[in-house]
């Protein structure tokens, strides 16, 4: 017996067809958006540049926008957004016009969008002769020795990837007004 027929028989035996109930129930705009805006799936979050997608989705959701409206704001189609989410099109391959539109939509500098899309990496701000990993590790040691901030830092961060470690250093610099990475490009 085909699966569809089995399902139909189970619904008939139960006496309830969920489709008819769904059609009668009023659905809020937030429920309409939930399928695409609840955040990225685990597979989607593993894509290079997924941080930009997350920001776009969260911002669109907070504004009560549908995915088609987000696509229109970026000057792309609904299908293009779907291809980015599915990894068919690389997020890191966004055109200049889409980067500009995303920056405007998010209210962020273009460089922030380019970093979130993994077009530009934190390592791009350092020359090849600099040992960025060494600079960041030395900065983490300074943070660990800080009497106020050191106890707050998870020691596991020192085993993290360079991007995560750099993020912690940047947060510390912002919070304290200090500058640990003196060789950073300005």
């Amino acid at each position: 017996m085909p699966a569809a027929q089995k399902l139909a028989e189970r619904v008939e035996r139960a006496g309830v067809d969920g489709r008819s109930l769904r059609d009668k129930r009023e659905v809020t705009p937030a429920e309409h958006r939930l399928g695409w805006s609840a955040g990225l799936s685990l597979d989607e979050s593993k894509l290079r540049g997924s941080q930009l997608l997350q920001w776009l989705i969260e911002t669109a959701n907070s504004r009560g926008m549908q995915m088609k409206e987000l696509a229109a704001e970026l000057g792309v189609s609904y299908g293009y957004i779907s291809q980015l989410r599915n990894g068919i099109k690389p997020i890191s391959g966004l055109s200049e016009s889409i980067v500009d539109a995303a920056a405007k939509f998010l209210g962020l500098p273009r460089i922030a969008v380019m970093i979130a899309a993994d077009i530009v990496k934190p390592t791009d701000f350092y020359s090849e002769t600099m040992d960025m990993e060494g600079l960041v590790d030395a900065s983490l040691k300074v943070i660990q020795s800080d009497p106020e901030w050191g106890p707050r830092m998870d020691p596991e961060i020192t085993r993290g990837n360079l991007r995560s470690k750099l993020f912690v250093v940047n947060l510390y610099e912002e919070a304290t007004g200090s500058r640990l990475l003196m060789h950073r490009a300005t």
Side-chain angles (χ1 to χ4, degrees), residues 102-119:
K104 181 179 177 185
F105 179 76
L106 294 168
L108 294 172
R110 288 182 79 248
I111 192 68
V113 170
M114 293 171 76
I115 291 171
D118 212 21
I119 296 169

Side-chain angles (χ1 to χ4, degrees), residues 17-73:
D17 185 348
R19 292 172 297 181
S20 64
L21 293 176
R22 181 190 66 217
D23 294 339
K24 292 179 184 175
R25 187 172 72 81
E26 195 167 314
V27 180
T28 67
E31 288 175 308
H32 279 294
R33 291 189 316 276
L34 192 57
W36 72 271
S37 63
L40 298 180
S41 70
L42 184 58
D43 288 338
E44 291 169 338
S45 67
K46 291 179 182 177
L47 296 172
R48 281 186 58 214
S50 64
Q51 182 62 56
L52 177 60
L53 276 180
Q54 186 70 35
W55 288 351
L56 290 168
I57 289 168
E58 287 174 358
T59 302
N61 192 38
S62 70
R63 295 178 186 174
M65 298 172 70
Q66 297 289 326
M67 193 166 175
K68 289 178 186 176
E69 295 169 310
L70 170 62
E73 286 283 332

Side-chain angles (χ1 to χ4, degrees), residues 125 179 181-186:
F125 291 92
R179 187 131 189 217
L181 297 174
M182 302 306 267
H183 297 93
R184 187 176 357 196
T186 55

Side-chain angles (χ1 to χ4, degrees), residues 44 47-50 52-53 79-95 98-99 116-119:
E44 291 169 338
L47 296 172
R48 281 186 58 214
S50 64
L52 177 60
L53 276 180
Y80 186 83
I81 300 283
S82 182
Q83 290 176 349
L84 290 173
R85 288 188 74 170
N86 293 322
I88 296 168
K89 293 222 181 261
I91 300 164
S92 59
L94 294 178
S95 70
I98 297 172
V99 168
D118 212 21
I119 296 169

Side-chain angles (χ1 to χ4, degrees), residues 126-136:
Y126 294 84
S127 70
E128 288 182 31
T129 58
M130 287 187 226
D131 175 20
M132 186 172 162
E133 185 88 39
L135 292 171
V136 171

